[in-house]
Amino acid sequence: MIATCGSARRSLARAFADPDAGPVLLYVEGAAGLGKTHLLSELAGLPEAPDAARLWWRCGSGDGQQVADEPWGKPALLLVDDVHRADEDELRRLRRVLEGLEPGSAAAVAYRPEELPVPGLPLGGSAMAYPFRLTVLTHRLAPWDEERVRRAAADVLGESGGTAEAVGTLHERTGGVPRAVVDLLALLREQRPAFTGTAAEVAAAGVPTRLAELVLSRTYALSPAHRPLVWAAAVLDGPAARDELIAVSGLGAVPGSDALLRALESAALAEPGEGRYGFAVPLAAAAVRDTVPGPVRQDMHRRAAGVLSRRQPVAWTAVGEHHRAAGDDRRWLRAVEKAAESAAASGRHQEAIVLLERTLAAPGIPPQARARLAPLLARNAVTGLRSDQTVEVLAQIVQDADLPPAVRGELRLDLGLMLSNQMGRFADGWRVLEIAAAELREVRSVLAARAMAALVTPYWPGASLDVHRGWLIKAVAAADDSGDEAMRTAVLANQVGLAMSWADPEAWDLVERLPVQSTDPACVRQAARGLCNAADSAVWLGFYRRVDGLLAEGRELATRSGAPYTEHSASGTRLLQEWWTGQWLGLARRCEEFIADTADMPFLASDAYVVRGLLAVAQGDWGEARSWLSQRGTFGTENLPVPLGATAAGAVIRLTLARQEVADAAEQARAAWTVVAEKGVWPWAAELAPWAVEALARAGDTTGAQAMVRDFAQGLGAADAPAARAALVWSRAVLAENEALAQGKPSGLLAAAEAYRKAAAAYAELPRPYSQALTTECAGRCVLAADAVGEAGGADGVDRSGGADGADRADEAGGADRADRADRADRADRADRADRADRADGTQAAGGAGESGGAADGAGAHGSGASAAGGSAAPAGDRASTASAIAELESCAQHFTDLGAVWDATRARALLRTRQPAKKGRPPGRPSHSDQLSPREAEVAQLASSGLTNREIAATLHLSPRTVEQHIAGAMRKTGALSRRDLVHRL
């Protein structure tokens, strides 16, 4: 594990490069644990000296006598280890051997510089008489850097070896000394419960036995008068100046200076930086500290607190720990308060949170101290990134009857904000904030305004838009009464979010009022939040071209003012923007990285979960899609912000329709629609409406579907919400298509096609390429379905058995017969019958949505009445319209492919095959694909490897499940795949 240095090998290789080459002496210098013996072992395998004898000499073991006395007689490589252990007699023998090195020979001599009797002279006090032709070199081993430590951790612990923070702690505590790194990793590997990769586990792992024995042997080799200096270094637990060590030791100037010299000579201490003294391996301090007598250790901690208080800047956290170890709780808590205030002032909120959580969780904290520290924790947790423990701590503290009412109200306010904004527990947060607003109204009007402002935020499920408007009136009045500019800005930031959410015409003017030029950090933090609120609302409204500027300015202000929560929320908005504007390259990876970065705060990553799920839907990975859309169980999806919940619900409805579970899809649609309707922010229905309308229409609830469209249109009114307006056109097209299919009217299908084209044009303006391609596909599908209905003789060609649900029933009633014919055609391998079977299989579902039945997506089930009957030739106008539709479908299939929407591309191409004529010059019969996958097998295999079931693939490609099963079997046989999932590696 301890790597060989290539330069050492090259240095020795010179002696064996040429028979006449002069000998080489290589000194290998390295402190304990840096890997000298390991390096010598690797040098013994020097490939440039295959014929040279290998002679080992371990000083202090007695095996050097034989090497010195016996003539070598041929080229040799002498490997001398632990020269620092040699006595005078052994050093004389070694010097004699080295002075007599012959051409074609070399020696490597390793030693610890800190343990040499004479510093800098590994072979003793007198200078060596080196022969003229002898090349003398020195190779100094160095500690590992953090990257090398990371690789070692991965070798021992697997995968990443722990978080980046854990690796950093491992490197810091071991000083990068390889032996210490390897031994500490062994402790972590064997610990129980098993190591989970955190920095806290590394810090708590203890001191490896080998390191503890080394440092204690060196410490207790000193006289009792000198040991307190080493004890002082252990108590300070970090490099310190001479005067600081002497002050903590209590020895006085002269005895202390003498003790420092003795400690350096014995290697008990080292000088890691100029004029700074401590342990060569920082972890060793703990081993020494544990041996210091208790009363002496407490006195040293008290003196250490004084010493560190005089440093600038003061490390108040360390000062507090020393006061606590000295038994002075009052000074400890004061130092904690100063440390938290200092961390918060410099934007290190997470550091303050961890310190305050740990302190407040300690038993016996006096009520006065708790009343001072708890608000500090709450303020930092709201601004920064909370941990679960913060909520638990605050929830317990607000129950304390001894707290002053103003303190309790402030804590309740911050607890409510955390529950709502950071944990997604909206109902709990709303109740706590209402209580806080009432509690603070008389005692802290500024904070009362803050609680009211929080209740203005519309994203939470439950309260209606009118309720939020009512709280806005109260918040504005309270903020104005307070005279606090930062509070006015906080209320304005939430007013921006509320106004933007429902496309208030004055919303953009409110954005311009945010005080982005303020010099007050508190105002700047609130302005940053307001800009990021506006960016998020702009994404939901469809103003994508304005998002970049808002996000850039908002994030810059958040970074400058120390608002990490705002920075992270802006990152989620960016992911949504990239999804809708088609910036999909690397988007899945970016989502997963963001989720990993916010692992202790999953609600903050809810945007990333949903975007990752939407990508999985488009890629055909339906199993993964449901998992991502449900937030992977990190918290209940019913607690998602309303627009995000509506988006996730729309995707789930789409998947349910694709699986032909129409009744379930309709129930999901009604439930999701109720949430949006109760909120009353109608632009947020944009990502739900087309799928919800389709689900109800296909379930036969045409009245409910029409009511949805009507409510959506009335709710939007004249609002400037481009994404919602495009979705409204799409939803109307869905209704038109369903009604036309139910009535068997080609003219109705053509009207629906025109509506879809209008929706596509609206999405192109935004731009939203994926939605544009989906609606373009729908338009082409409607034209083909109208053509097929006309060929079949008007309404008689449509199954009217269930109105809008007729397509599904047609699948059930007639699909199997058609599929059987297709199967027979495949087996008979007769081209004409195969073509007719393919067309029958395709056009039975050509009218519906891409989920095999939905109107709002690609080739689904609504066109089941449009059978593949050849019929008479269509009029020239119809042929031109059909040709145009085919061109549209070809274009959107390519767009799907460019985006990476595998499932959509496959579905669109399957629809195209139902109408495209056979290629000219094609020979009779099917082409032979005995050794390679046929185009159909490749499509089926791609979808199967994504996790789709046979039924889902059949619905997508308009085949029977039995045909799909045969194609999968053929693909596995031809590729050698061992399973459906294995197909992905074979394609």
PDB file of all heavy atoms in Angstrom, residues 347-378:
ATOM      1  N   GLY A 347     -20.522  33.701   7.935  1.00  0.00           N
ATOM      2  CA  GLY A 347     -21.264  32.829   7.022  1.00  0.00           C
ATOM      3  C   GLY A 347     -21.056  31.345   7.240  1.00  0.00           C
ATOM      4  O   GLY A 347     -21.526  30.543   6.445  1.00  0.00           O
ATOM      5  N   ARG A 348     -20.388  30.956   8.337  1.00  0.00           N
ATOM      6  CA  ARG A 348     -20.151  29.530   8.610  1.00  0.00           C
ATOM      7  C   ARG A 348     -21.295  28.989   9.491  1.00  0.00           C
ATOM      8  O   ARG A 348     -21.094  28.597  10.637  1.00  0.00           O
ATOM      9  CB  ARG A 348     -18.793  29.330   9.265  1.00  0.00           C
ATOM     10  CG  ARG A 348     -17.643  29.919   8.477  1.00  0.00           C
ATOM     11  CD  ARG A 348     -16.270  29.518   9.008  1.00  0.00           C
ATOM     12  NE  ARG A 348     -16.137  29.512  10.449  1.00  0.00           N
ATOM     13  CZ  ARG A 348     -15.840  30.569  11.202  1.00  0.00           C
ATOM     14  NH1 ARG A 348     -15.667  31.769  10.622  1.00  0.00           N
ATOM     15  NH2 ARG A 348     -15.718  30.462  12.512  1.00  0.00           N
ATOM     16  N   HIS A 349     -22.495  29.006   8.914  1.00  0.00           N
ATOM     17  CA  HIS A 349     -23.682  28.675   9.698  1.00  0.00           C
ATOM     18  C   HIS A 349     -23.689  27.222  10.151  1.00  0.00           C
ATOM     19  O   HIS A 349     -24.107  26.924  11.271  1.00  0.00           O
ATOM     20  CB  HIS A 349     -24.947  28.981   8.887  1.00  0.00           C
ATOM     21  CG  HIS A 349     -25.077  30.419   8.521  1.00  0.00           C
ATOM     22  ND1 HIS A 349     -25.436  31.385   9.430  1.00  0.00           N
ATOM     23  CD2 HIS A 349     -24.864  31.075   7.349  1.00  0.00           C
ATOM     24  CE1 HIS A 349     -25.461  32.560   8.837  1.00  0.00           C
ATOM     25  NE2 HIS A 349     -25.118  32.402   7.577  1.00  0.00           N
ATOM     26  N   GLN A 350     -23.244  26.318   9.288  1.00  0.00           N
ATOM     27  CA  GLN A 350     -23.278  24.910   9.675  1.00  0.00           C
ATOM     28  C   GLN A 350     -22.357  24.644  10.853  1.00  0.00           C
ATOM     29  O   GLN A 350     -22.676  23.845  11.738  1.00  0.00           O
ATOM     30  CB  GLN A 350     -22.881  24.032   8.470  1.00  0.00           C
ATOM     31  CG  GLN A 350     -23.172  22.555   8.657  1.00  0.00           C
ATOM     32  CD  GLN A 350     -24.659  22.270   8.800  1.00  0.00           C
ATOM     33  OE1 GLN A 350     -25.493  23.045   8.348  1.00  0.00           O
ATOM     34  NE2 GLN A 350     -24.995  21.173   9.446  1.00  0.00           N
ATOM     35  N   GLU A 351     -21.224  25.307  10.888  1.00  0.00           N
ATOM     36  CA  GLU A 351     -20.305  25.176  12.020  1.00  0.00           C
ATOM     37  C   GLU A 351     -20.986  25.638  13.312  1.00  0.00           C
ATOM     38  O   GLU A 351     -20.875  24.988  14.361  1.00  0.00           O
ATOM     39  CB  GLU A 351     -19.051  26.003  11.758  1.00  0.00           C
ATOM     40  CG  GLU A 351     -18.013  25.959  12.854  1.00  0.00           C
ATOM     41  CD  GLU A 351     -16.814  26.840  12.533  1.00  0.00           C
ATOM     42  OE1 GLU A 351     -16.423  26.893  11.347  1.00  0.00           O
ATOM     43  OE2 GLU A 351     -16.283  27.479  13.463  1.00  0.00           O
ATOM     44  N   ALA A 352     -21.684  26.776  13.247  1.00  0.00           N
ATOM     45  CA  ALA A 352     -22.397  27.276  14.422  1.00  0.00           C
ATOM     46  C   ALA A 352     -23.506  26.323  14.845  1.00  0.00           C
ATOM     47  O   ALA A 352     -23.714  26.080  16.045  1.00  0.00           O
ATOM     48  CB  ALA A 352     -22.970  28.656  14.121  1.00  0.00           C
ATOM     49  N   ILE A 353     -24.219  25.759  13.875  1.00  0.00           N
ATOM     50  CA  ILE A 353     -25.323  24.839  14.181  1.00  0.00           C
ATOM     51  C   ILE A 353     -24.811  23.615  14.935  1.00  0.00           C
ATOM     52  O   ILE A 353     -25.363  23.218  15.969  1.00  0.00           O
ATOM     53  CB  ILE A 353     -26.033  24.412  12.881  1.00  0.00           C
ATOM     54  CG1 ILE A 353     -26.805  25.590  12.296  1.00  0.00           C
ATOM     55  CG2 ILE A 353     -26.985  23.243  13.145  1.00  0.00           C
ATOM     56  CD1 ILE A 353     -27.312  25.344  10.891  1.00  0.00           C
ATOM     57  N   VAL A 354     -23.750  23.005  14.422  1.00  0.00           N
ATOM     58  CA  VAL A 354     -23.215  21.796  15.052  1.00  0.00           C
ATOM     59  C   VAL A 354     -22.756  22.092  16.473  1.00  0.00           C
ATOM     60  O   VAL A 354     -23.027  21.332  17.414  1.00  0.00           O
ATOM     61  CB  VAL A 354     -22.055  21.228  14.205  1.00  0.00           C
ATOM     62  CG1 VAL A 354     -21.356  20.100  14.957  1.00  0.00           C
ATOM     63  CG2 VAL A 354     -22.574  20.735  12.859  1.00  0.00           C
ATOM     64  N   LEU A 355     -22.049  23.206  16.659  1.00  0.00           N
ATOM     65  CA  LEU A 355     -21.561  23.574  17.987  1.00  0.00           C
ATOM     66  C   LEU A 355     -22.711  23.806  18.958  1.00  0.00           C
ATOM     67  O   LEU A 355     -22.705  23.304  20.096  1.00  0.00           O
ATOM     68  CB  LEU A 355     -20.700  24.839  17.871  1.00  0.00           C
ATOM     69  CG  LEU A 355     -20.236  25.469  19.194  1.00  0.00           C
ATOM     70  CD1 LEU A 355     -19.347  24.508  19.961  1.00  0.00           C
ATOM     71  CD2 LEU A 355     -19.517  26.789  18.923  1.00  0.00           C
ATOM     72  N   LEU A 356     -23.733  24.552  18.543  1.00  0.00           N
ATOM     73  CA  LEU A 356     -24.840  24.875  19.428  1.00  0.00           C
ATOM     74  C   LEU A 356     -25.717  23.660  19.714  1.00  0.00           C
ATOM     75  O   LEU A 356     -26.205  23.491  20.840  1.00  0.00           O
ATOM     76  CB  LEU A 356     -25.679  25.998  18.815  1.00  0.00           C
ATOM     77  CG  LEU A 356     -24.980  27.363  18.772  1.00  0.00           C
ATOM     78  CD1 LEU A 356     -25.714  28.323  17.851  1.00  0.00           C
ATOM     79  CD2 LEU A 356     -24.875  27.949  20.183  1.00  0.00           C
ATOM     80  N   GLU A 357     -25.923  22.825  18.716  1.00  0.00           N
ATOM     81  CA  GLU A 357     -26.680  21.587  18.955  1.00  0.00           C
ATOM     82  C   GLU A 357     -25.996  20.740  20.013  1.00  0.00           C
ATOM     83  O   GLU A 357     -26.633  20.237  20.948  1.00  0.00           O
ATOM     84  CB  GLU A 357     -26.801  20.784  17.659  1.00  0.00           C
ATOM     85  CG  GLU A 357     -27.840  21.276  16.691  1.00  0.00           C
ATOM     86  CD  GLU A 357     -27.895  20.427  15.440  1.00  0.00           C
ATOM     87  OE1 GLU A 357     -26.988  19.594  15.229  1.00  0.00           O
ATOM     88  OE2 GLU A 357     -28.843  20.613  14.671  1.00  0.00           O
ATOM     89  N   ARG A 358     -24.714  20.569  19.845  1.00  0.00           N
ATOM     90  CA  ARG A 358     -23.952  19.740  20.783  1.00  0.00           C
ATOM     91  C   ARG A 358     -23.995  20.335  22.191  1.00  0.00           C
ATOM     92  O   ARG A 358     -24.137  19.613  23.183  1.00  0.00           O
ATOM     93  CB  ARG A 358     -22.509  19.613  20.298  1.00  0.00           C
ATOM     94  CG  ARG A 358     -21.678  18.627  21.088  1.00  0.00           C
ATOM     95  CD  ARG A 358     -20.336  18.373  20.426  1.00  0.00           C
ATOM     96  NE  ARG A 358     -19.524  19.570  20.367  1.00  0.00           N
ATOM     97  CZ  ARG A 358     -19.075  20.108  19.239  1.00  0.00           C
ATOM     98  NH1 ARG A 358     -19.387  19.573  18.072  1.00  0.00           N
ATOM     99  NH2 ARG A 358     -18.322  21.203  19.258  1.00  0.00           N
ATOM    100  N   THR A 359     -23.902  21.655  22.277  1.00  0.00           N
ATOM    101  CA  THR A 359     -23.896  22.309  23.583  1.00  0.00           C
ATOM    102  C   THR A 359     -25.259  22.209  24.257  1.00  0.00           C
ATOM    103  O   THR A 359     -25.362  21.849  25.439  1.00  0.00           O
ATOM    104  CB  THR A 359     -23.491  23.784  23.427  1.00  0.00           C
ATOM    105  OG1 THR A 359     -22.210  23.857  22.794  1.00  0.00           O
ATOM    106  CG2 THR A 359     -23.413  24.469  24.771  1.00  0.00           C
ATOM    107  N   LEU A 360     -26.314  22.520  23.515  1.00  0.00           N
ATOM    108  CA  LEU A 360     -27.652  22.506  24.102  1.00  0.00           C
ATOM    109  C   LEU A 360     -28.127  21.101  24.456  1.00  0.00           C
ATOM    110  O   LEU A 360     -29.019  20.935  25.295  1.00  0.00           O
ATOM    111  CB  LEU A 360     -28.646  23.165  23.141  1.00  0.00           C
ATOM    112  CG  LEU A 360     -28.518  24.687  23.031  1.00  0.00           C
ATOM    113  CD1 LEU A 360     -29.294  25.211  21.836  1.00  0.00           C
ATOM    114  CD2 LEU A 360     -29.005  25.354  24.310  1.00  0.00           C
ATOM    115  N   ALA A 361     -27.533  20.101  23.812  1.00  0.00           N
ATOM    116  CA  ALA A 361     -27.900  18.724  24.126  1.00  0.00           C
ATOM    117  C   ALA A 361     -27.207  18.227  25.392  1.00  0.00           C
ATOM    118  O   ALA A 361     -27.572  17.177  25.933  1.00  0.00           O
ATOM    119  CB  ALA A 361     -27.553  17.809  22.957  1.00  0.00           C
ATOM    120  N   ALA A 362     -26.222  18.970  25.892  1.00  0.00           N
ATOM    121  CA  ALA A 362     -25.509  18.564  27.100  1.00  0.00           C
ATOM    122  C   ALA A 362     -26.416  18.731  28.317  1.00  0.00           C
ATOM    123  O   ALA A 362     -27.201  19.679  28.389  1.00  0.00           O
ATOM    124  CB  ALA A 362     -24.239  19.401  27.264  1.00  0.00           C
ATOM    125  N   PRO A 363     -26.330  17.835  29.281  1.00  0.00           N
ATOM    126  CA  PRO A 363     -27.196  17.952  30.467  1.00  0.00           C
ATOM    127  C   PRO A 363     -26.749  19.104  31.371  1.00  0.00           C
ATOM    128  O   PRO A 363     -25.583  19.483  31.393  1.00  0.00           O
ATOM    129  CB  PRO A 363     -27.003  16.599  31.162  1.00  0.00           C
ATOM    130  CG  PRO A 363     -25.640  16.129  30.718  1.00  0.00           C
ATOM    131  CD  PRO A 363     -25.466  16.641  29.320  1.00  0.00           C
ATOM    132  N   GLY A 364     -27.724  19.664  32.082  1.00  0.00           N
ATOM    133  CA  GLY A 364     -27.401  20.630  33.108  1.00  0.00           C
ATOM    134  C   GLY A 364     -27.137  22.037  32.629  1.00  0.00           C
ATOM    135  O   GLY A 364     -26.546  22.835  33.370  1.00  0.00           O
ATOM    136  N   ILE A 365     -27.550  22.390  31.414  1.00  0.00           N
ATOM    137  CA  ILE A 365     -27.337  23.765  30.942  1.00  0.00           C
ATOM    138  C   ILE A 365     -28.284  24.696  31.709  1.00  0.00           C
ATOM    139  O   ILE A 365     -29.500  24.481  31.714  1.00  0.00           O
ATOM    140  CB  ILE A 365     -27.605  23.880  29.427  1.00  0.00           C
ATOM    141  CG1 ILE A 365     -26.711  22.908  28.651  1.00  0.00           C
ATOM    142  CG2 ILE A 365     -27.378  25.314  28.954  1.00  0.00           C
ATOM    143  CD1 ILE A 365     -25.253  23.191  28.767  1.00  0.00           C
ATOM    144  N   PRO A 366     -27.778  25.748  32.342  1.00  0.00           N
ATOM    145  CA  PRO A 366     -28.649  26.660  33.101  1.00  0.00           C
ATOM    146  C   PRO A 366     -29.673  27.328  32.185  1.00  0.00           C
ATOM    147  O   PRO A 366     -29.406  27.584  31.002  1.00  0.00           O
ATOM    148  CB  PRO A 366     -27.663  27.694  33.673  1.00  0.00           C
ATOM    149  CG  PRO A 366     -26.335  27.019  33.651  1.00  0.00           C
ATOM    150  CD  PRO A 366     -26.355  26.118  32.461  1.00  0.00           C
ATOM    151  N   PRO A 367     -30.863  27.651  32.705  1.00  0.00           N
ATOM    152  CA  PRO A 367     -31.911  28.271  31.874  1.00  0.00           C
ATOM    153  C   PRO A 367     -31.467  29.567  31.207  1.00  0.00           C
ATOM    154  O   PRO A 367     -31.822  29.825  30.054  1.00  0.00           O
ATOM    155  CB  PRO A 367     -33.041  28.535  32.881  1.00  0.00           C
ATOM    156  CG  PRO A 367     -32.819  27.540  33.969  1.00  0.00           C
ATOM    157  CD  PRO A 367     -31.335  27.355  34.057  1.00  0.00           C
ATOM    158  N   GLN A 368     -30.679  30.395  31.927  1.00  0.00           N
ATOM    159  CA  GLN A 368     -30.238  31.658  31.327  1.00  0.00           C
ATOM    160  C   GLN A 368     -29.357  31.415  30.104  1.00  0.00           C
ATOM    161  O   GLN A 368     -29.483  32.101  29.078  1.00  0.00           O
ATOM    162  CB  GLN A 368     -29.466  32.488  32.360  1.00  0.00           C
ATOM    163  CG  GLN A 368     -30.274  32.849  33.600  1.00  0.00           C
ATOM    164  CD  GLN A 368     -30.114  31.797  34.701  1.00  0.00           C
ATOM    165  OE1 GLN A 368     -29.871  30.609  34.421  1.00  0.00           O
ATOM    166  NE2 GLN A 368     -30.262  32.235  35.946  1.00  0.00           N
ATOM    167  N   ALA A 369     -28.465  30.444  30.222  1.00  0.00           N
ATOM    168  CA  ALA A 369     -27.603  30.128  29.085  1.00  0.00           C
ATOM    169  C   ALA A 369     -28.414  29.529  27.941  1.00  0.00           C
ATOM    170  O   ALA A 369     -28.186  29.828  26.766  1.00  0.00           O
ATOM    171  CB  ALA A 369     -26.503  29.157  29.519  1.00  0.00           C
ATOM    172  N   ARG A 370     -29.376  28.693  28.269  1.00  0.00           N
ATOM    173  CA  ARG A 370     -30.224  28.099  27.238  1.00  0.00           C
ATOM    174  C   ARG A 370     -31.005  29.184  26.488  1.00  0.00           C
ATOM    175  O   ARG A 370     -31.163  29.125  25.268  1.00  0.00           O
ATOM    176  CB  ARG A 370     -31.187  27.103  27.892  1.00  0.00           C
ATOM    177  CG  ARG A 370     -31.977  26.252  26.928  1.00  0.00           C
ATOM    178  CD  ARG A 370     -32.865  25.294  27.688  1.00  0.00           C
ATOM    179  NE  ARG A 370     -32.093  24.309  28.411  1.00  0.00           N
ATOM    180  CZ  ARG A 370     -31.679  23.148  27.898  1.00  0.00           C
ATOM    181  NH1 ARG A 370     -31.981  22.855  26.648  1.00  0.00           N
ATOM    182  NH2 ARG A 370     -30.992  22.298  28.618  1.00  0.00           N
ATOM    183  N   ALA A 371     -31.459  30.186  27.225  1.00  0.00           N
ATOM    184  CA  ALA A 371     -32.217  31.276  26.604  1.00  0.00           C
ATOM    185  C   ALA A 371     -31.338  32.107  25.679  1.00  0.00           C
ATOM    186  O   ALA A 371     -31.841  32.725  24.735  1.00  0.00           O
ATOM    187  CB  ALA A 371     -32.833  32.156  27.687  1.00  0.00           C
ATOM    188  N   ARG A 372     -30.031  32.162  25.943  1.00  0.00           N
ATOM    189  CA  ARG A 372     -29.123  32.902  25.050  1.00  0.00           C
ATOM    190  C   ARG A 372     -28.728  32.074  23.833  1.00  0.00           C
ATOM    191  O   ARG A 372     -28.634  32.577  22.719  1.00  0.00           O
ATOM    192  CB  ARG A 372     -27.846  33.309  25.802  1.00  0.00           C
ATOM    193  CG  ARG A 372     -28.028  34.334  26.882  1.00  0.00           C
ATOM    194  CD  ARG A 372     -26.673  34.965  27.261  1.00  0.00           C
ATOM    195  NE  ARG A 372     -25.618  33.995  27.416  1.00  0.00           N
ATOM    196  CZ  ARG A 372     -25.319  33.353  28.548  1.00  0.00           C
ATOM    197  NH1 ARG A 372     -26.037  33.604  29.643  1.00  0.00           N
ATOM    198  NH2 ARG A 372     -24.323  32.483  28.609  1.00  0.00           N
ATOM    199  N   LEU A 373     -28.472  30.782  24.048  1.00  0.00           N
ATOM    200  CA  LEU A 373     -27.915  29.951  22.975  1.00  0.00           C
ATOM    201  C   LEU A 373     -28.977  29.437  22.006  1.00  0.00           C
ATOM    202  O   LEU A 373     -28.717  29.296  20.805  1.00  0.00           O
ATOM    203  CB  LEU A 373     -27.157  28.759  23.580  1.00  0.00           C
ATOM    204  CG  LEU A 373     -25.937  29.096  24.442  1.00  0.00           C
ATOM    205  CD1 LEU A 373     -25.326  27.831  25.001  1.00  0.00           C
ATOM    206  CD2 LEU A 373     -24.901  29.863  23.638  1.00  0.00           C
ATOM    207  N   ALA A 374     -30.159  29.138  22.511  1.00  0.00           N
ATOM    208  CA  ALA A 374     -31.190  28.553  21.638  1.00  0.00           C
ATOM    209  C   ALA A 374     -31.580  29.489  20.486  1.00  0.00           C
ATOM    210  O   ALA A 374     -31.693  29.035  19.335  1.00  0.00           O
ATOM    211  CB  ALA A 374     -32.415  28.159  22.457  1.00  0.00           C
ATOM    212  N   PRO A 375     -31.812  30.789  20.724  1.00  0.00           N
ATOM    213  CA  PRO A 375     -32.104  31.656  19.568  1.00  0.00           C
ATOM    214  C   PRO A 375     -30.962  31.717  18.560  1.00  0.00           C
ATOM    215  O   PRO A 375     -31.198  31.823  17.354  1.00  0.00           O
ATOM    216  CB  PRO A 375     -32.342  33.032  20.226  1.00  0.00           C
ATOM    217  CG  PRO A 375     -32.774  32.722  21.616  1.00  0.00           C
ATOM    218  CD  PRO A 375     -31.984  31.512  22.002  1.00  0.00           C
ATOM    219  N   LEU A 376     -29.733  31.644  19.055  1.00  0.00           N
ATOM    220  CA  LEU A 376     -28.590  31.607  18.129  1.00  0.00           C
ATOM    221  C   LEU A 376     -28.680  30.396  17.218  1.00  0.00           C
ATOM    222  O   LEU A 376     -28.464  30.478  16.004  1.00  0.00           O
ATOM    223  CB  LEU A 376     -27.285  31.557  18.926  1.00  0.00           C
ATOM    224  CG  LEU A 376     -26.551  32.861  19.215  1.00  0.00           C
ATOM    225  CD1 LEU A 376     -25.306  32.575  20.044  1.00  0.00           C
ATOM    226  CD2 LEU A 376     -26.176  33.556  17.921  1.00  0.00           C
ATOM    227  N   LEU A 377     -28.988  29.234  17.813  1.00  0.00           N
ATOM    228  CA  LEU A 377     -29.131  28.008  17.020  1.00  0.00           C
ATOM    229  C   LEU A 377     -30.253  28.166  16.007  1.00  0.00           C
ATOM    230  O   LEU A 377     -30.090  27.826  14.825  1.00  0.00           O
ATOM    231  CB  LEU A 377     -29.413  26.826  17.948  1.00  0.00           C
ATOM    232  CG  LEU A 377     -29.830  25.510  17.267  1.00  0.00           C
ATOM    233  CD1 LEU A 377     -28.725  25.014  16.340  1.00  0.00           C
ATOM    234  CD2 LEU A 377     -30.177  24.457  18.309  1.00  0.00           C
ATOM    235  N   ALA A 378     -31.380  28.676  16.434  1.00  0.00           N
ATOM    236  CA  ALA A 378     -32.527  28.802  15.536  1.00  0.00           C
ATOM    237  C   ALA A 378     -32.222  29.719  14.363  1.00  0.00           C
ATOM    238  O   ALA A 378     -32.527  29.396  13.208  1.00  0.00           O
ATOM    239  CB  ALA A 378     -33.727  29.330  16.324  1.00  0.00           C
TER     240      ALA A 378
END
